[in-house]
Amino acid sequence: MNEPTLDDEEDPGSGAAPDPGSGVLRVFGRQLKRFRIRAGIERPDFGDRLGYSVSTIAAYEQGRRVPSPRFIDQADDMLDAGGVLKEMKEEVARAQFPAFFRGAAKLEAEAVELHAYDAHVVKGLLQTEGYARAVFKMWRPLLDEAIIEERIAARLARQSIFTRRPLPHLSFVIEEAALRKRLGGRDVWRGQLEQILLIGQARNVDVQVMPLDREDHAGLAGPFTLMEMKDGRRIAYTEVQSDSRLHTERGRVRELEGTYGSLRAQALTPRESQTLIEKLLGDRST
């Protein structure tokens, strides 16, 4: 069965606040306000003690903004909430993602293997802060600045997958055209290429580039991600514009696994890919 979902690689969502449709932000906000009132602390005083503005506290209590884990810990301790607020941290953290990506984000965080092909931009897991900011700022319709910052924080937090224990097996096939796009300007672009080189040196990560001059190409249908879970489940994620899906049926997943195998065979080897990226960085014309 196909479940509608969407990665936040090319579709960060609308310019509205994080969709509270799941109710988790509203529920957290109501609990936060209830504990604050029970403690007899006015909103301005509460904000002063924790170092937040009154408007920020109001936004948290009304479910309009995503509080940080640090704020949740501080609030729980100050209000003597007995761990009630802290227990909601994981669900609240997922609210940083667009509603369509929350399910995929949870799977990604638990995957023991992840393999991705990208054609248009560098995958979010590989992005620097500057590159991610450029991607979100270019999105149309325009995103609010607060949403951009939340999405950047969420994207960077996903990168803990590279150091998680036990180490997952990760591989990426990236189109050379995507690497040549100077999103965010020359400095941001160079920083992004340097980060890809650094990540590709890890023992559990393979980075391969699909060169522009290839006459055979198995990935013309677009980007996708493959994930394997601890229990052996294999899941594929595909996206086209704003229509994205998680695929769990074995036949469809097997097809994309075969496609990915062909892509890796057609792309440059990891060592050749590293050489190409170094060449891009060293080209004075760039």
Side-chain angles (χ1 to χ4, degrees), residues 5 8 14 47 50 69 83 91 99 135 141-142 149 160 173 190 216 226 236 238 273:
T5 186
D8 64 338
S14 69
L50 294 181
E91 290 300 322
V135 169
L142 293 174
E149 294 306 314
S160 62
V173 175
R190 290 182 63 85
D216 296 311
L226 300 168
T238 59
S273 299

Side-chain angles (χ1 to χ4, degrees), residues 19-27 95 102:
D19 176 20
S22 65
V24 63
L25 293 182
R26 289 197 296 264
V27 171
R102 290 171 194 160

Side-chain angles (χ1 to χ4, degrees), residues 69-128:
R70 179 173 177 271
F71 171 84
I72 296 175
D73 287 338
Q74 291 177 317
D76 194 284
D77 293 338
M78 177 177 291
L79 301 177
D80 193 25
V84 172
L85 299 179
K86 291 181 180 179
E87 288 178 356
M88 300 178 69
K89 274 199 298 186
E90 183 178 341
E91 290 300 322
V92 168
R94 279 203 288 273
Q96 295 178 95
F97 301 109
F100 44 67
F101 181 59
R102 290 171 194 160
K106 185 176 188 298
L107 291 169
E108 178 185 87
E110 299 172 354
V112 296
E113 287 194 21
L114 184 145
H115 309 287
Y117 164 63
D118 278 284
H120 306 298
V121 297
V122 173
K123 189 170 179 63
L125 283 176
L126 299 172
Q127 290 179 10
T128 63

Side-chain angles (χ1 to χ4, degrees), residues 26-240:
R26 289 197 296 264
V27 171
F28 175 85
R30 287 196 295 267
Q31 292 292 340
L32 176 64
K33 183 177 181 179
R34 181 175 293 113
F35 281 116
R36 178 179 61 76
I37 293 174
R38 188 191 69 173
I41 305 175
E42 294 296 324
R43 189 178 285 166
D45 187 34
F46 184 52
D48 286 342
R49 294 189 194 183
L50 294 181
Y52 293 85
S53 67
V54 175
S55 61
T56 297
I57 298 300
Y60 290 161
E61 292 186 348
Q62 294 163 12
R64 293 186 288 107
R65 287 189 62 181
V66 181
S68 67
R70 179 173 177 271
F71 171 84
I72 296 175
D73 287 338
Q74 291 177 317
D76 194 284
D77 293 338
M78 177 177 291
L79 301 177
D80 193 25
V84 172
L85 299 179
K86 291 181 180 179
E87 288 178 356
M88 300 178 69
K89 274 199 298 186
E90 183 178 341
E91 290 300 322
V92 168
R94 279 203 288 273
Q96 295 178 95
F97 301 109
F100 44 67
F101 181 59
R102 290 171 194 160
K106 185 176 188 298
L107 291 169
E108 178 185 87
E110 299 172 354
V112 296
E113 287 194 21
L114 184 145
H115 309 287
Y117 164 63
D118 278 284
H120 306 298
V121 297
V122 173
K123 189 170 179 63
L125 283 176
L126 299 172
Q127 290 179 10
T128 63
E129 180 176 344
Y131 189 97
R133 179 169 282 105
V135 169
F136 287 127
K137 282 184 175 293
M138 292 176 191
W139 189 253
R140 297 298 185 272
L142 293 174
L143 298 171
D144 293 339
E145 289 297 323
I147 301 304
I148 289 175
E149 294 306 314
E150 288 177 355
R151 297 286 167 81
I152 291 171
R155 179 159 293 186
L156 296 179
R158 289 168 55 200
Q159 295 176 4
S160 62
I161 191 173
F162 291 109
T163 55
R164 197 181 67 208
R165 294 292 188 272
L167 290 172
H169 179 204
L170 310 169
S171 72
F172 303 89
V173 175
I174 313 170
E175 287 291 330
E176 180 182 345
L179 296 179
R180 288 182 175 273
K181 292 178 182 176
R182 299 189 187 183
L183 302 184
R186 183 177 184 275
D187 290 342
V188 169
W189 170 73
R190 290 182 63 85
Q192 181 59 69
L193 294 188
E194 290 169 352
Q195 171 142 309
I196 292 173
L197 284 176
L198 181 62
I199 291 175
Q201 293 174 8
R203 292 189 301 113
N204 62 315
V205 180
D206 290 321
V207 175
Q208 295 179 250
V209 176
M210 178 65 77
L212 291 170
D213 62 2
R214 282 294 188 261
E215 296 182 1
D216 296 311
H217 198 308
L220 299 182
F224 60 91
T225 300
L226 300 168
M227 293 176 282
E228 182 170 345
M229 313 309 292
K230 292 179 181 179
D231 59 8
R233 284 181 299 146
R234 293 183 176 181
I235 299 167
Y237 165 76
T238 59
E239 62 179 34
V240 178

